[in-house]
Amino acid sequence: MGSSTFTIAGRLMNQLIRDRRTLGLIIIVPLVVMSLIGLSFPDEGILDYIAPAMLAALALFFSFLLTGISFLRERSQGTMERLMASPVSRLDVVFGYLFGFFFFALAQTLIIVLFTIYVFDINFMGEIWQILVFQILVITGSVTLGIFTSTFARNEFQMVQFIPLIILPQMFLSGVLWPVEQMPDYLQWMSAAMPLTYAIDGLRDIMLYGKGLLDVGFELAVLAGFTVVTSVLAALTLRRGAAG
Amino acid sequence: MAQNITNGVAVKADKVSFHFKKLRAIDELSLVVPAGISFGLLGPNGAGKTTLIRLITGLLKPKSGGIDVLGQPPSRKNARLIGYMPQLHSLYAELSVMQNVSFFAKIYGLKNSKQRQQRVEEVTKLVNLWGRRNDSVMNLSGGMKQRASLACAIVHNPPLLLLDEPTVGLDPELRVTFWDYFTSLTQEGTTLIISSHTMDDAAHCDRLGFMRQGKVIAQGTPTELKEATGQPEASLEEAFLHFIHREEGSDG
């Protein structure tokens, strides 16, 4: 990781800043989605239970989609070929993307967290900074997952197909809507293999039970491990020879 | 400098082969490109021109044979010696012309901010886009995008410039401007490898390699190639067809 990492990150940030409509949608869409969810669960108890899960699930969904499509565009427009012919390393590209999207994803998360806590007035016990630290790992894993997945798609249509394949099963099986313990054994095993399960467990512990980051160390470790694995896989699939 | 390192050879390919699954794109191709000249890779679509350029950049690895670029095999370490203008415009559409050129300047190691700024300004003026320097690339015409893409390829002043179909889609006036600039680059010692399928481009090159089905079927100066037909007044098009017919005769 060198200065090229930050050059790539800076370029991505410039691209998003100049694309005002996308920038606006990055902020507005999660608010609309959270509003719909909040209004559909008027029972405060249910909303308290669902809110931490939605924070994690939305961070996963938006970061994955934004990175995946953006990375795919880089390949379809030929700029990835140009980058791969330059002196930058594969890790420069992966980490450049990670840092470039990180601030937008984090800002998005902060808006969702504050909106959920203060507008819907959910019962909330933990510290906001702890939620954000936890979400950083969720975002990081989602960005690298998006990069890795996009190498298997040739166009935007194919990339969108990965949403029902990778995101939706996690939404259903990770305990967003109902407890994992109530699922059949084989679904619980599948759930245990999904990063969103650990993200939701950790956030619920922090937000519903007021636990600290040390108490959710296991979940943090699993998410960190997932990030390392997807980063390595993303860098490996980004061969110079596979730029086109 | 490149000439000293490489004894006057910019690119040397020795029996290089490359295939995409079952399609043999480059077939035991051998080629020598002297330094400091413009070398045209001429051939129909599918002849293997782009694949050969990608092999020279290091984007693709030969399945057999070897390539030396400025005295060493292509790698990330010597990528700084190469300027590459792909067939697609390959620019960041949302960014301005200056932001695109500046990005590639940084990526190619122009670290000093003041010098980088000066160089970015210089090449943006050179490709005649100074008046549109702050416009998003997406709002430029095809020819302007082509010029911006060229600026990104030359911003780090590489000794070897690979241009994949650089004149496609350009109007005649702009084509002349491009060739004037290419000529000035070779006069300064830069080696240019230019792929094209038009004989108009071929006439501007110092040396040519006629390509067909992944092979270089003939190489030499435009005059040498015309003379090889036995009719010195022959056009380059006729020379190209002559070598194709000769190749077909030897094939079958």
Side-chain angles (χ1 to χ4, degrees):
Chain A
M1 195 171 71
S3 62
S4 296
T5 301
F6 299 104
T7 305
I8 293 169
R11 187 214 79 213
L12 272 162
M13 292 167 88
N14 273 333
Q15 273 181 281
L16 278 178
I17 289 165
R18 284 179 71 96
D19 185 358
R20 299 281 161 81
R21 188 172 296 185
T22 301
L23 197 60
L25 287 170
I26 283 175
I27 296 164
I28 293 166
V29 171
L31 293 183
V32 172
V33 173
M34 277 317 282
S35 300
L36 284 173
I37 292 165
L39 294 170
S40 1
F41 292 101
D43 184 325
E44 277 185 18
I46 296 176
L47 195 55
D48 290 347
Y49 181 75
I50 296 238
M54 286 317 297
L55 291 181
L58 287 182
L60 170 76
F61 179 70
F62 287 119
S63 304
F64 171 83
L65 196 60
L66 196 62
T67 322
I69 296 282
S70 176
F71 214 76
L72 189 69
R73 278 184 70 211
E74 181 115 39
R75 287 197 293 133
S76 60
Q77 290 181 349
T79 44
M80 183 55 75
E81 174 164 333
R82 209 164 200 161
L83 264 187
M84 288 288 102
S86 79
V88 302
S89 72
R90 294 178 290 185
L91 280 179
D92 282 328
V93 177
V94 173
F95 283 112
Y97 258 76
L98 192 55
F99 294 147
F101 280 125
F102 184 75
F103 293 102
F104 294 98
L106 195 62
Q108 196 177 45
T109 292
L110 185 63
I111 292 167
I112 298 172
V113 169
L114 296 177
F115 183 81
T116 310
I117 291 171
Y118 294 112
V119 175
F120 285 106
D121 198 24
I122 61 164
N123 290 312
F124 162 68
M125 293 179 72
E127 303 276 348
I128 289 181
W129 71 267
Q130 289 183 330
I131 299 173
L132 289 180
V133 169
F134 199 90
Q135 285 287 74
I136 285 172
L137 270 180
V138 178
I139 292 166
T140 315
S142 310
V143 168
T144 48
L145 181 65
I147 295 173
F148 173 59
T149 310
S150 76
T151 58
F152 297 100
R154 294 257 171 219
N155 53 46
E156 281 85 349
F157 295 118
Q158 290 177 15
M159 186 66 208
V160 170
Q161 299 306 315
F162 282 116
I163 297 170
L165 198 66
I166 291 173
I167 303 295
L168 276 186
Q170 300 203 60
M171 297 269 199
F172 286 117
L173 300 179
S174 298
V176 175
L177 296 170
W178 48 85
V180 175
E181 299 75 37
Q182 293 177 10
M183 295 176 190
D185 282 350
Y186 69 97
L187 288 183
Q188 288 191 37
W189 295 333
M190 286 173 72
S191 174
M194 294 175 173
L196 189 60
T197 304
Y198 303 92
I200 291 171
D201 282 354
L203 275 178
R204 278 200 177 123
D205 280 350
I206 293 172
M207 293 177 71
L208 294 179
Y209 308 114
K211 290 185 180 176
L213 285 176
L214 285 178
D215 301 314
V216 293
F218 172 70
E219 284 80 5
L220 280 172
V222 172
L223 289 173
F226 176 76
T227 302
V228 171
V229 170
T230 46
S231 303
V232 171
L233 288 175
L236 286 176
T237 47
L238 243 185
R239 295 185 307 275
R240 265 165 77 80
Chain B
M1 188 181 74
Q3 277 162 310
N4 294 337
I5 298 168
T6 62
N7 293 324
V9 175
V11 174
K12 187 179 176 194
D14 184 25
K15 291 187 177 173
V16 172
S17 292
F18 185 85
H19 53 87
F20 297 101
K21 293 182 181 166
K22 285 183 180 172
L23 178 72
R24 190 170 272 269
I26 297 291
D27 189 7
E28 295 209 343
L29 179 148
S30 292
L31 180 76
V32 173
V33 179
I37 66 159
S38 55
F39 190 99
L41 289 171
L42 264 288
N45 293 330
K49 304 184 295 292
T50 298
T51 306
L52 178 57
I53 285 181
R54 284 178 169 169
L55 285 162
I56 297 170
T57 60
L59 283 166
L60 299 174
K61 302 278 176 232
K63 302 289 181 194
S64 64
I67 291 190
D68 275 352
V69 178
L70 300 168
Q72 42 196 320
S75 70
R76 196 162 63 80
K77 284 176 189 160
N78 60 14
R80 212 162 261 146
L81 302 174
I82 301 174
Y84 176 42
M85 179 179 168
Q87 224 175 82
L88 287 170
H89 297 129
S90 308
L91 297 164
Y92 298 102
E94 300 84 2
L95 297 186
S96 70
V97 174
M98 287 281 271
Q99 284 176 318
N100 269 283
V101 181
S102 185
F103 171 71
F104 284 103
K106 284 183 200 167
I107 286 291
Y108 276 94
L110 272 68
K111 295 206 188 306
N112 182 302
S113 163
K114 201 176 170 187
Q115 284 174 0
R116 185 175 62 241
Q117 194 63 28
Q118 270 177 358
R119 180 65 185 155
V120 169
E121 193 177 318
E122 196 180 305
V123 292
T124 309
K125 284 178 179 166
L126 196 73
V127 297
N128 212 7
L129 283 174
W130 186 246
R132 305 290 300 268
R133 64 188 180 281
N134 293 321
D135 289 5
S136 293
V137 163
M138 69 173 89
N139 297 325
L140 301 182
S141 68
M144 287 175 183
K145 285 178 186 162
Q146 200 86 324
R147 281 187 272 160
S149 179
L150 178 65
C152 293
I154 60 174
V155 69
H156 61 293
N157 226 349
L160 174 63
L161 197 51
L162 304 172
L163 308 166
D164 197 359
E165 309 259 6
T167 58
V168 166
L170 296 186
D171 59 60
E173 196 184 344
L174 199 53
R175 197 180 276 249
V176 171
T177 310
F178 262 46
W179 273 109
D180 284 346
Y181 179 62
F182 295 160
T183 308
S184 70
L185 279 176
T186 54
Q187 281 166 356
E188 289 164 15
T190 307
T191 309
L192 268 70
I193 298 180
I194 300 163
S195 80
S196 179
H197 54 261
T198 73
M199 295 303 151
D200 178 46
D201 284 336
H204 287 88
C205 295
D206 296 318
R207 285 183 74 82
L208 296 170
F210 286 159
M211 285 191 73
R212 181 178 175 263
Q213 293 179 348
K215 287 183 177 171
V216 173
I217 55 172
Q219 51 182 311
T221 66
T223 311
E224 285 169 355
L225 292 167
K226 283 187 223 171
E227 283 174 357
T229 63
Q231 296 171 311
E233 300 82 27
S235 65
L236 276 172
E237 204 155 38
E238 286 165 336
F240 184 69
L241 291 172
H242 164 82
F243 285 106
I244 282 189
H245 293 147
R246 198 181 72 173
E247 187 75 5
E248 282 171 349
S250 68
D251 283 349

